[in-house]
């Protein structure tokens, strides 16, 4: 009884579960890596499959991050009554080139090979400033290292105040701007620079309307102005940036990635919502959203300023209808993430800068883009080797595959865990001979159940095409299938054993029939668990070669157990007459019907379509 008790305990604990779980996660992470995503932990891979909300930025993720300078507008052009943004302007006049020169001077870009043609330059800097340098070179505006050494960054750009201030020598200025002493080029968000200018309220409104017109074309707009600080230039602070002379704007067009619309449709079909959080103007964000086929309008947009005026309770009331957050800061992103989590969402958040680190850490899945900072990558769960939204969708699909494989392995193993308990416990209560020996229990547990379970790690049959995203692992389907199949089949096994004994069969033959039935059905019902959402006749049984091999090896071992005298003695079994071999095949079919029936009940009555 002691040996049997130990065997029952071992049999009721699925040893393949931790091995299979680790295998599923490791293989899933490898597949994600092939899709250009690097997971920093195994457990995060499972969470990835449960994602219900993606908060993505715009530049580089939805777009190509190739911001081509398409227009430069002076303040005079912007204030004109008939102002309309040009589609694409390649030839700039003298005034426009002067603005471009100032923008080039204020751009913090390092050129590794300046002696080569500008089209082959290797540059280090922000995407926007790199494109400014390229455009300047295209129009014959270059600066040598000596010129660059005289330029000093006084206030670096920050997403908090959205501008930079760079001291430029007077020798770099056009003649008509020579009145500026110790000038600083102020470059950043047009609305911020306008608010810090000396212009009248009326002119600011007209200029802001012109900038908004640019954004409706899906352009990113950069304002530029000049400042003579009313203080020691070496001690200039943010508060000293006022009474700026507004010069004009540079507008850039960043093409949408061609693969994004299809990726967006795929991820939406899985029940995962996507929202955009960007620092760009609402018009720019809305234009890009419509270009990728997003069904949004002005009512679905919330700006950072509006966001900051709402309390958490008020914001929660409108979360469901907001698809775009424009002009937001990293602090706003963190708040948005936490509020969505408070509503039960599993949030994946993209980010690239140091300031995005709190949001990436707070999200269920922090996604750092490949071009981002090392700080962002260090706190992220997933690092993209490229910045493409398609890659995010591909990694989430792999995460869903991981989650699907874990579910099917769990249900398969745990539904078999009750067999030995009910068989042995029922025999003791009924006062009949024990149906299985200790070595038979161990054999079934280690060789028949474990081989198919580990093979699930390599399976590509998933539920992502036929079910909505589950917000929890133990959903209704998993719980029902585990409990229902486990209890029904265990009781069927015990009923089979009692029936064999009452029919007058010898105990040894009854045990052998039960052992053959027990071991074989455990192998073959694995095929029913390949997809928990579809009946067995609707998917291929041949795709998972390792499962076929596992079931084949298990069947050969089981056959050898009943035919090879050496194994017959070890496992205390006898050869089965042909009629009972037919019965074992019939028993396998019955169990497959039970499992398929359980799947039908679960998918018909428990899962909402």
């Amino acid at each position: 009884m002691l040996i049997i008790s130990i065997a029952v305990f071992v049999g009721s604990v699925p040893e393949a579960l931790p091995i299979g779980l680790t295998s599923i996660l490791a293989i899933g992470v490898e597949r994600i890596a092939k899709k250009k995503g690097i997971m920093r932990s195994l457990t995060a891979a499972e969470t990835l499959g449960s994602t219900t909300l993606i908060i993505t930025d715009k530049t580089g993720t939805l777009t190509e991050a190739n911001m081509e300078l398409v227009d430069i507008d002076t303040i005079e052009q912007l204030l004109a009554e008939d102002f309309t943004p040009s589609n694409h302007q390649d030839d700039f006049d003298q005034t426009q080139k002067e603005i471009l020169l100032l923008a080039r001077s204020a751009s913090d870009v390092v050129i590794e090979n300046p002696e080569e043609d500008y089209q082959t330059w290797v540059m280090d800097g922000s995407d926007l400033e790199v494109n400014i340098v390229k455009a300047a070179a295209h129009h014959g505006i270059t600066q040598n290292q000596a010129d660059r050494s005289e330029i000093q960054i006084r206030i670096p750009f920050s997403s908090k105040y959205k501008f930079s201030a760079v001291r430029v020598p007077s020798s770099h200025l056009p003649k008509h701007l020579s009145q500026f002493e110790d000038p600083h080029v102020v470059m950043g968000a047009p609305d911020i620079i306008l608010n810090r200018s000396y212009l009248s309220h009326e002119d600011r409104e007209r200029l802001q309307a012109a900038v908004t017109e640019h954004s409706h074309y899906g352009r990113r707009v950069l304002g530029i102005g000049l400042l003579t600080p009313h203080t020691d230039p070496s001690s200039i602070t943010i508060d000293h940036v006022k009474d700026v002379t507004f010069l004009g704007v540079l507008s850039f067009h960043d093409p949408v990635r061609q693969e994004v619309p299809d990726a967006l449709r795929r991820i939406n079909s899985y029940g995962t919502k996507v929202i955009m959080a960007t620092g760009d103007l609402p018009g720019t964000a809305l234009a890009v959203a419509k270009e990728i086929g997003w069904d949004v309008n002005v009512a679905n947009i919330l700006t950072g300023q509006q966001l900051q005026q709402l309390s958490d309770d008020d914001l929660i009331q409108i979360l469901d209808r907001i698809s775009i957050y424009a002009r937001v800061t990293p602090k706003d992103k963190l708040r948005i993430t936490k509020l969505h989590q408070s509503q039960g969402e599993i949030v994946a958040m993209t980010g690239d800068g140091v300031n995005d680190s709190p949001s990436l850490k707070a999200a269920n899945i922090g996604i750092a883009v490949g071009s981002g900072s090392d700080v962002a990558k260090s706190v992220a769960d997933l690092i993209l080797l490229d910045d493409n939204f398609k890659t995010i969708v591909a990694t989430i699909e792999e995460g869903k595959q991981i989650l699907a494989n874990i579910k099917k392995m769990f249900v398969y193993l745990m539904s078999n865990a009750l067999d030995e308990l009910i068989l042995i416990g029922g025999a003791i209560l009924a006062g009949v001979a024990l149906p299985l020996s200790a070595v038979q229990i161990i054999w079934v547990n280690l060789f028949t159940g474990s081989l198919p379970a580990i093979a699930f790690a390599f399976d590509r049959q998933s539920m992502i095409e036929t079910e909505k995203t589950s917000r929890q692992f133990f959903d209704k389907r998993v719980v029902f299938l585990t409990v229902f199949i486990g209890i029904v089949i265990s009781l069927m096994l015990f009923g089979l054993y009692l029936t064999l004994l009452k029919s007058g069969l010898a105990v040894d033959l009854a045990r052998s029939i039960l052992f053959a039935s027990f071991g074989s059905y455990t192998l073959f019902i694995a095929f029913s668990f390949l997809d928990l959402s579809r009946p067995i006749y609707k998917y291929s049984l041949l795709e998972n070669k390792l499962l076929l091999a596992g079931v084949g090896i298990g069947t050969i071992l089981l056959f050898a157990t009943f035919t090879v005298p050496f194994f017959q003695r070890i496992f205390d079994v006898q050869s089965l007459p042909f009629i009972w071999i037919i019965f074992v095949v019939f028993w396998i079919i019955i169990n497959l019907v039970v499992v398929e029936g359980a799947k039908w009940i679960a998918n018909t009555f428990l899962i909402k379509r």
Side-chain angles (χ1 to χ4, degrees):
M1 290 302 296
L2 176 62
I3 295 175
I4 288 292
S5 299
I6 294 173
V8 170
F9 177 75
V10 172
S12 62
V13 177
E15 290 85 357
L17 188 60
I19 299 172
L21 179 61
T22 304
S23 300
I24 289 173
L25 292 174
I27 292 167
V29 166
E30 181 186 14
R31 286 172 175 168
I32 290 174
K34 291 179 179 178
K35 299 288 181 69
K36 297 185 179 181
I38 303 299
M39 298 300 305
R40 298 186 67 247
S41 69
L42 286 179
T43 54
E46 182 269 327
T47 307
L48 190 65
S50 302
T51 300
T52 60
L53 175 69
I54 302 173
I55 302 177
T56 179
D57 55 4
K58 177 184 71 68
T59 304
T61 307
L62 301 177
T63 63
E64 296 179 359
N66 183 23
M67 288 175 285
E68 181 185 4
L69 179 64
V70 295
D71 200 2
I72 297 177
D73 292 303
T74 65
I75 185 172
E76 292 79 14
Q77 290 172 317
L78 294 169
L79 288 173
E81 293 290 342
D82 59 347
F83 170 76
T84 303
S86 63
N87 290 329
H88 189 287
Q89 189 170 350
D90 189 57
D91 295 325
F92 296 136
D93 60 30
Q94 185 61 32
T95 305
Q96 291 171 317
K97 288 184 178 180
E98 289 170 355
I99 292 177
L100 183 55
L101 170 63
L102 292 176
R104 169 66 179 89
S105 299
S107 299
D108 184 23
V109 174
V110 176
I111 304 174
E112 297 182 9
N113 53 340
E115 68 284 350
E116 297 182 15
D117 184 85
Y118 77 90
Q119 294 182 345
T120 61
W121 279 351
V122 177
M123 292 179 278
D124 183 22
S126 70
D127 292 334
L128 190 64
E129 293 182 340
V130 163
N131 280 275
I132 289 174
V133 173
K134 285 182 179 179
H138 175 70
H139 291 278
I141 302 171
T142 59
Q143 291 175 329
N144 58 38
Q145 196 60 38
D147 293 334
R148 295 297 303 168
S149 64
E150 300 176 13
I151 297 172
Q152 299 174 339
I153 300 175
R154 297 299 192 191
I155 302 176
F157 180 85
S158 169
S159 57
K160 184 177 181 180
Y161 44 83
K162 293 185 172 64
F163 68 86
S164 64
V166 180
R167 181 184 178 277
V168 177
S170 300
S171 59
H172 287 238
L173 298 179
K175 290 182 179 180
H176 70 279
L177 297 175
S178 59
Q179 74 273 19
F180 288 90
E181 297 179 5
D182 224 352
H184 285 61
V185 177
V186 181
M187 193 163 63
D191 53 332
I192 301 297
I193 297 178
L194 283 172
N195 289 334
R196 291 176 177 269
S197 71
Y198 64 80
L199 295 170
S200 66
H201 178 74
E202 181 183 351
D203 284 345
R204 290 181 186 179
E205 291 291 323
R206 292 176 62 185
L207 289 168
Q208 185 58 55
V211 169
T212 302
E213 188 69 20
H214 267 298
S215 70
H216 291 160
Y217 285 72
R219 296 176 180 177
R220 185 170 183 179
V221 187
L222 187 69
I224 189 168
L226 278 177
L227 168 70
T228 298
H230 301 294
T231 184
D232 179 4
S234 63
S235 60
I236 184 175
T237 65
I238 298 170
D239 293 334
H240 293 132
V241 181
K242 54 187 177 181
D243 295 332
V244 174
T245 300
F246 190 81
L247 299 178
V249 297
L250 298 86
S251 59
F252 301 81
H253 177 63
D254 189 7
V256 169
R257 292 183 183 272
Q258 294 182 354
E259 61 271 24
V260 167
D262 178 65
L264 187 65
R265 284 191 293 270
R266 290 209 321 268
I267 199 66
N268 285 337
S269 70
Y270 306 145
T272 301
K273 183 180 178 182
V274 181
I275 63 177
M276 184 196 304
T278 177
D280 286 337
L281 294 169
T284 304
L286 182 60
V288 170
K290 290 184 176 180
E291 193 174 347
I292 62 176
W294 215 333
D295 184 18
V296 293
N297 53 48
V298 176
N300 305 121
I301 301 178
L302 195 68
T303 65
Q305 184 178 7
Q306 294 170 328
L307 179 70
Q308 293 162 15
Q309 293 173 351
L310 293 172
S311 66
D312 287 352
D313 291 338
D314 291 337
L315 188 54
I316 286 173
Q317 299 300 318
I318 61 173
L319 276 181
D320 288 342
R321 73 170 176 84
I322 302 301
S323 299
I324 299 174
Y325 294 89
R327 304 303 270 168
V328 293
T329 65
K331 185 177 179 180
D332 295 330
K333 289 184 179 181
L334 177 61
R335 184 184 177 200
I336 294 167
T337 299
K338 289 185 174 180
L339 286 178
H340 277 288
Q341 288 175 321
S342 71
Q343 301 307 298
E345 301 284 5
I346 307 298
V347 180
M349 159 74 78
T350 66
D352 57 2
V354 175
N355 293 334
D356 288 329
S357 300
S359 301
L360 294 175
K361 192 171 183 178
N364 301 92
I365 294 291
I367 304 175
V369 297
S371 60
S373 67
D374 291 338
V375 175
K377 294 175 183 177
S378 67
V379 300
D381 302 293
L382 171 64
I383 300 173
L384 303 183
L385 297 183
D386 59 11
D387 299 357
N388 200 333
F389 182 77
K390 178 183 178 182
T391 304
I392 298 176
V393 174
T395 57
I396 289 179
E397 287 176 338
E398 288 297 339
K400 291 183 179 297
Q401 181 68 66
I402 291 171
L403 184 60
N405 287 348
I406 292 175
K407 285 182 177 181
K408 64 184 72 170
M409 182 195 68
F410 178 86
V411 175
Y412 172 70
L413 289 175
M414 296 308 297
S415 63
N416 292 331
L418 293 176
D419 291 344
E420 293 91 344
L421 290 175
I422 291 180
L423 278 172
I424 302 300
I428 293 174
L429 292 175
V432 297
L434 295 180
L436 297 171
S437 65
V439 69
Q440 289 173 342
I441 294 173
I442 300 299
W443 191 98
V444 172
N445 197 55
L446 292 182
F447 290 98
T448 59
S450 298
L451 292 176
I454 295 174
F456 283 137
F458 300 87
D459 194 47
R460 299 298 294 177
Q461 302 267 13
S462 68
M463 298 183 285
I464 62 175
E465 297 292 345
T466 52
E467 75 166 347
K468 295 294 185 182
T469 301
S470 174
R471 301 191 181 198
Q472 55 184 355
F473 173 76
F474 290 105
D475 57 23
K476 292 180 180 179
R477 173 161 44 201
V478 168
V479 174
F480 173 78
L481 292 178
T482 302
V483 175
F484 181 85
I485 295 174
I487 292 177
V488 170
I489 291 184
S490 297
L491 291 175
M492 286 171 53
L493 271 175
F494 182 62
L496 171 63
Y497 181 59
L498 290 181
T499 301
L500 292 174
L501 291 179
K502 289 182 179 180
S503 66
L505 289 180
V507 173
D508 289 343
L509 180 57
R511 283 175 170 172
S512 297
I513 295 171
L514 180 71
F515 179 48
S517 301
F518 183 25
S520 58
Y521 104 82
T522 303
L523 284 169
F524 285 93
I525 64 168
F527 291 111
S528 271
F529 290 99
L530 278 172
D531 194 325
L532 301 182
S533 62
R534 293 184 293 172
I536 193 170
Y537 58 83
K538 285 193 175 182
Y539 55 84
S540 172
L541 302 180
L542 305 178
E543 287 186 8
N544 192 327
K545 301 298 190 294
L546 284 176
L547 180 60
L548 291 172
V551 173
I553 292 172
T555 303
I556 292 171
L557 291 174
L558 187 63
F559 181 78
T561 301
F562 286 89
T563 56
V564 178
F566 173 75
F567 290 121
Q568 286 179 328
R569 290 193 298 272
I570 292 178
F571 293 100
D572 193 21
V573 295
Q574 55 184 265
S575 300
L576 297 182
F578 181 75
I579 186 64
W580 288 112
I581 295 176
I582 298 299
F583 173 80
V584 170
V585 174
F586 180 68
W587 180 258
I588 293 172
I589 296 173
I590 291 176
N591 281 272
L592 285 172
V593 171
V594 170
V595 175
E596 290 300 313
K599 286 165 56 177
W600 179 82
I601 294 173
N603 294 313
T604 303
F605 300 104
L606 299 181
I607 303 299
K608 294 181 180 180
R609 297 295 181 184

